[in-house]
Amino acid sequence: MTTHHPIKPAWSCGGCAGEWPCQTRRRELRAEYDRAPVSLALYLAALLVDAAQDLAHVPAGHLHHRFLGWAR
């Protein structure tokens, strides 16, 4: 079980206080979804929609890169 979960509504990391998903959580997610990249993308897209509501002041491009751009 990870300690690197999102703290809402700021979407900071509960494990390291960085922007969520932090580097550690990204590594964990890559390992968890190793054989299911489409499932990872769908999971992250759902979180992006949730985060966009809380982080309306953050540019959409930044949120896209933060939540989905690294998962390619």
Side-chain angles (χ1 to χ4, degrees):
M1 193 74 158
T2 186
T3 60
H4 295 270
H5 57 277
I7 303 298
K8 300 175 185 179
W11 288 86
S12 59
C13 177
C16 65
E19 284 188 343
W20 195 92
C22 65
Q23 291 299 324
T24 299
R25 188 62 182 138
R26 289 177 183 190
R27 280 192 302 275
E28 292 171 348
L29 287 167
R30 280 191 185 109
E32 288 174 37
Y33 289 88
D34 180 47
R35 297 185 187 266
V38 173
S39 294
L40 174 59
L42 290 171
Y43 171 68
L44 293 171
L47 292 174
L48 169 62
V49 170
D50 193 21
Q53 294 174 6
D54 292 331
L55 303 173
H57 61 283
V58 178
H62 176 77
L63 289 176
H64 179 271
H65 178 72
R66 178 174 162 181
F67 283 83
L68 290 170
W70 62 270
R72 295 182 197 185

